[in-house]
Amino acid sequence: MGDYFKTFPDSKGNYGDFGGSFIPPNLQAEMDKIADAYFSISKSHEFISELRNIRTHFQGRPTPVYFAKTLSDECGGRIYLKREDLNHTGAHKLNHCMGEALLAKYLGKKRLIAETGAGQHGVALATAAAYFGLECEIHMGEVDIEKEAPNVTRMKILGATVVPVSRGLRTLKEAVDSAFEAYMADPITSIYCIGSVVGPHPFPMMVRDFQRVVGIEAREQFFDMTGEHPDDVVACVGGGSNAMGIFSAYLEDGSVTLYGVEPMGRGPKTGDNAATITYGKPGMIHGFKCYLLQDEKGEPSPVYSIASGLDYPGVGPEHSMLHDLGKVNYTSVTDEECIDAFYALSRKEGIIPALESAHAVAFAMKLAKEQPRRSILVNLSGRGDKDIDFVIGKYGFR
Ligand SMILES: *Cc1c(COP(=O)(O)O)cnc(C)c1O
């Protein structure tokens, strides 16, 4: 496994049986150009030093690793948090958005185009566009625009154009279609920026590589603090970008156990969860192969999670492969467990986690109770300020 990053993906973007690129020929030609540019530009000294400078002075990296002592005393094990909630804009997403936008600048692009569901990717990309002086066009379903008003406001304050999508169910899937169409209408001056380790090649690889900073920092910080590597590393999985970021630093050590936590929502019934690897089968969505929650015809099933950032019927192709290889254990927690962890971390440590990240915390708490001798490193992917009104409205104070 020593050559993991040289082996995966292959030159066509395949991760074993997953990934690849299944898109119309004109779009494929653009993806090939992006892939070629990525391989040449992103390895240049100039690109690397500019990105490093941005991470330090704009994003506030490195983010700390923190020993959650009170929570650990309560649960039994030793729980550590990689504090991506302290990254600028409050989550890990800016790591890949700054990388994608920097690549756009080197390619001479004028406009960044993307879709957003809950608005988190839209806000991160609008931030990156503002930093680089690029235009930004975010496609968003009308239903989501109504539900996520504060993020719509943030994107507009940052100077982005929010394009309402009124077709179909008026949510994420239609927003992706709309954003792809806008990109295809103008692939010379614009570039499409995806929000996770999903989509056609080269996106799953590029986004993973831009997120690797999380794992590189965490591995060194954890070792400096404890003199050893963690027994377990835990991250929530929607598309899977924060998880790939931290897992990538430990994939080549056989001794660290990796856990990807999927949202079990209200339970196992179709439409009540988004536990893609747990319940899905190999299939195709948005131009790539992965585990997919799907009906008999191969159409994506409806999905649900309390955490809108985890609410996707597919999952990154690399996670699909890592599951089949047995390199990562995929597990799940329910909405209820997520809310308990949200309150536990807030009350015991003074850290309000994003509902997405609270899934990882919930699983770490269970693991610590079952195996109290172990050290557990959790990727705390984001802060929960965005979720407080929803939690209080639905669950009240606990
Ligand atoms: C978007 C988001 C996620 C899920 O995305 P991944 O690509 O699976 O990491 C997780 N946590 C937070 C805070 C998010 O905003």
Side-chain angles (χ1 to χ4, degrees):
M1 226 42 197
D3 285 330
Y4 180 86
F5 294 99
K6 289 205 182 85
T7 314
F8 301 114
D10 71 10
S11 62
K12 300 280 183 218
N14 297 301
Y15 298 85
D17 296 333
F18 301 100
S21 181
F22 302 87
I23 50 180
N26 49 347
L27 192 51
Q28 187 62 53
E30 291 309 314
M31 291 300 153
D32 292 345
K33 279 188 222 160
I34 294 175
D36 287 346
Y38 175 72
F39 280 118
S40 53
I41 296 168
S42 76
K43 312 293 181 225
S44 74
H45 174 73
E46 206 187 338
F47 185 95
I48 292 169
S49 77
E50 190 167 355
L51 190 57
R52 191 171 290 159
N53 194 46
I54 289 166
R55 285 172 174 170
T56 307
H57 299 287
F58 181 62
Q59 291 180 231
R61 304 202 68 88
T63 58
V65 166
Y66 168 70
F67 175 46
K69 182 168 186 313
T70 315
L71 188 70
S72 299
D73 286 347
E74 170 143 318
C75 297
R78 280 174 292 142
I79 300 175
Y80 294 79
L81 307 172
K82 175 60 173 165
R83 298 288 308 275
E84 288 304 290
D85 60 314
L86 296 176
N87 194 32
H88 179 44
T89 72
H92 72 288
K93 284 196 176 74
L94 195 67
N95 298 331
H96 60 252
C97 286
M98 293 308 286
E100 287 176 311
L102 182 61
L103 187 67
K105 186 186 99 167
Y106 274 70
L107 288 169
K109 303 288 183 181
K110 302 262 176 295
R111 190 163 61 131
L112 309 180
I113 298 181
E115 76 293 334
T116 195
Q120 296 302 110
H121 176 53
V123 170
L125 196 65
T127 302
Y131 178 94
F132 288 107
L134 298 166
E135 290 171 37
C136 185
E137 185 179 299
I138 303 294
H139 294 244
M140 191 170 183
E142 283 178 348
V143 170
D144 292 328
I145 288 181
E146 208 162 301
K147 256 169 56 186
E148 309 289 347
N151 276 342
V152 175
T153 305
R154 276 185 201 109
M155 287 184 263
K156 290 181 177 168
I157 288 174
L158 290 161
T161 304
V162 179
V163 179
V165 179
S166 57
R167 64 181 92 165
L169 295 175
R170 300 182 292 146
T171 59
L172 181 63
K173 188 179 170 300
E174 292 81 18
V176 174
D177 296 339
S178 172
F180 257 92
E181 283 164 25
Y183 170 57
M184 281 317 296
D186 179 20
I188 306 298
T189 54
S190 51
I191 185 167
Y192 184 71
C193 294
I194 215 148
S196 187
V197 286
V198 297
H201 181 63
F203 287 113
M205 173 189 70
M206 275 177 18
V207 171
R208 173 196 74 189
D209 289 354
F210 289 135
Q211 288 293 345
R212 280 180 70 181
V213 64
V214 175
I216 290 167
E217 288 174 6
R219 184 182 168 96
E220 194 179 315
Q221 291 167 316
F222 190 94
F223 194 82
D224 284 349
M225 283 173 89
T226 66
E228 55 191 28
H229 292 304
D231 294 313
D232 305 302
V233 173
V234 179
C236 65
V237 177
S241 63
N242 87 88
M244 278 321 306
I246 197 153
F247 291 170
S248 59
Y250 297 101
L251 276 174
E252 291 177 325
D253 296 297
S255 62
V256 180
T257 310
L258 307 176
Y259 291 96
V261 184
E262 300 193 313
M264 186 49 73
R266 294 181 288 246
K269 224 174 85 211
T270 300
D272 277 355
N273 64 75
T276 305
I277 293 182
T278 307
Y279 292 124
K281 292 193 175 56
M284 191 165 329
I285 185 172
H286 295 140
F288 72 105
K289 286 196 225 160
C290 63
Y291 275 92
L292 180 68
L293 292 165
Q294 56 190 303
D295 64 17
E296 315 78 62
K297 294 191 200 116
E299 286 299 311
S301 301
V303 283
Y304 159 82
S305 165
I306 190 174
S308 41
L310 303 181
D311 199 347
Y312 183 62
V315 66
E318 193 163 9
H319 288 288
S320 302
M321 179 189 76
L322 290 169
H323 168 71
D324 283 6
L325 292 177
K327 297 286 293 177
V328 177
N329 302 299
Y330 293 88
T331 176
S332 60
V333 309
T334 64
D335 284 1
E336 259 324 301
E337 293 169 315
C338 164
I339 292 294
D340 285 345
F342 174 89
Y343 271 112
L345 196 67
S346 300
R347 297 275 162 88
K348 301 289 169 199
E349 299 291 349
I351 299 170
I352 303 176
L355 288 174
E356 291 81 4
S357 324
H359 282 74
V361 175
F363 180 74
M365 289 167 61
K366 281 202 276 193
L367 197 61
K369 284 176 188 159
E370 283 164 16
Q371 302 186 35
R373 290 180 184 287
R374 294 175 78 85
S375 62
I376 307 171
L377 173 62
V378 176
N379 195 7
L380 195 74
S381 55
R383 67 175 180 227
D385 304 48
K386 66 184 178 61
D387 298 315
I388 55 175
D389 292 340
F390 172 81
V391 170
I392 297 311
K394 179 140 187 220
Y395 294 86
F397 290 101
R398 290 206 167 165

Coordinates of all heavy atoms in Angstrom, one line a residue, residues 91-93 120 196 236-242 309-310 354 356-357 381-382, ligand 1:
A91 N -15.7 25.8 8.6 CA -15.8 24.4 8.2 C -14.6 24.1 7.3 O -13.9 25.0 6.8 CB -17.1 24.1 7.5
H92 N -14.4 22.8 7.0 CA -13.3 22.3 6.2 C -13.5 22.7 4.7 O -12.6 22.6 3.9 CB -13.2 20.8 6.3 CG -14.4 20.1 5.6 ND1 -15.7 20.1 6.1 CD2 -14.5 19.4 4.4 CE1 -16.5 19.5 5.3 NE2 -15.8 19.0 4.2
K93 N -14.8 23.1 4.3 CA -15.0 23.2 2.8 C -14.1 24.3 2.2 O -13.8 24.2 1.0 CB -16.5 23.6 2.6 CG -17.4 22.4 2.7 CD -18.8 22.6 2.1 CE -19.6 21.4 2.1 NZ -20.1 21.1 3.5
Q120 N -23.8 25.7 2.3 CA -22.4 25.7 2.9 C -21.3 25.8 1.8 O -20.4 26.6 1.9 CB -22.2 24.5 3.8 CG -23.0 24.4 5.0 CD -22.9 25.6 5.9 OE1 -23.8 26.4 6.0 NE2 -21.8 25.8 6.5
S196 N -17.5 18.4 -3.1 CA -17.0 17.3 -2.3 C -16.2 16.4 -3.2 O -16.0 16.7 -4.3 CB -18.2 16.6 -1.6 OG -17.7 15.6 -0.7
C236 N -17.3 12.1 9.7 CA -18.6 12.0 9.1 C -18.5 11.9 7.6 O -17.5 12.5 7.1 CB -19.6 13.1 9.5 SG -19.1 14.7 8.9
V237 N -19.4 11.2 6.9 CA -19.3 11.1 5.5 C -20.6 11.5 4.8 O -21.7 10.9 5.0 CB -19.0 9.6 5.1 CG1 -19.0 9.5 3.6 CG2 -17.7 9.2 5.7
G238 N -20.6 12.6 4.0 CA -21.7 13.0 3.2 C -21.2 12.6 1.8 O -21.4 11.4 1.3
G239 N -20.6 13.5 1.1 CA -19.8 13.1 -0.2 C -18.5 12.5 0.2 O -18.0 11.6 -0.4
G240 N -17.9 13.0 1.4 CA -16.8 12.4 1.9 C -15.5 13.2 1.9 O -14.4 12.6 2.1
S241 N -15.6 14.5 1.7 CA -14.3 15.3 1.6 C -13.6 15.5 2.9 O -12.3 15.3 3.0 CB -14.6 16.6 0.9 OG -15.4 17.5 1.7
N242 N -14.3 15.8 4.0 CA -13.6 15.9 5.3 C -13.0 14.6 5.7 O -11.9 14.6 6.2 CB -14.4 16.6 6.3 CG -15.3 15.7 7.1 OD1 -14.8 15.2 8.2 ND2 -16.5 15.4 6.7
G309 N -25.8 18.7 5.1 CA -24.5 18.5 4.4 C -24.2 17.0 4.2 O -23.3 16.7 3.5
L310 N -25.0 16.1 4.8 CA -24.8 14.7 4.7 C -25.8 14.0 3.8 O -25.8 12.8 3.6 CB -24.8 14.0 6.0 CG -23.8 14.5 7.1 CD1 -23.9 13.7 8.4 CD2 -22.3 14.5 6.5
A354 N -21.2 21.5 14.2 CA -22.1 21.4 13.1 C -22.9 20.0 13.3 O -22.3 19.1 13.8 CB -21.4 21.4 11.8
E356 N -23.5 17.9 11.1 CA -22.7 16.9 10.3 C -21.6 16.3 11.2 O -21.5 15.1 11.4 CB -22.1 17.6 9.1 CG -23.0 18.0 8.0 CD -23.7 19.4 8.3 OE1 -23.4 20.0 9.3 OE2 -24.6 19.8 7.5
S357 N -20.8 17.2 11.8 CA -19.7 16.8 12.7 C -20.2 16.1 13.9 O -19.5 15.2 14.4 CB -18.9 18.1 13.1 OG -18.8 19.0 12.0
S381 N -15.6 18.6 11.6 CA -15.5 19.3 10.3 C -16.0 20.7 10.3 O -15.7 21.5 9.4 CB -16.3 18.4 9.3 OG -17.6 18.2 9.7
G382 N -16.9 21.1 11.3 CA -17.4 22.5 11.2 C -18.1 22.9 12.5 O -18.5 22.0 13.3
Ligands
LIG1 C1 -20.6 19.9 3.9 C2 -20.2 19.5 5.2 C3 -20.0 18.1 5.5 C4 -20.2 17.0 4.5 O1 -19.3 17.0 3.4 P1 -18.1 16.0 3.2 O2 -17.8 16.2 1.8 O3 -18.7 14.6 3.4 O4 -17.1 16.3 4.1 C5 -19.5 17.8 6.8 N1 -19.4 18.7 7.7 C6 -19.6 20.0 7.5 C7 -19.4 21.0 8.6 C8 -20.1 20.4 6.2 O5 -20.3 21.7 6.0

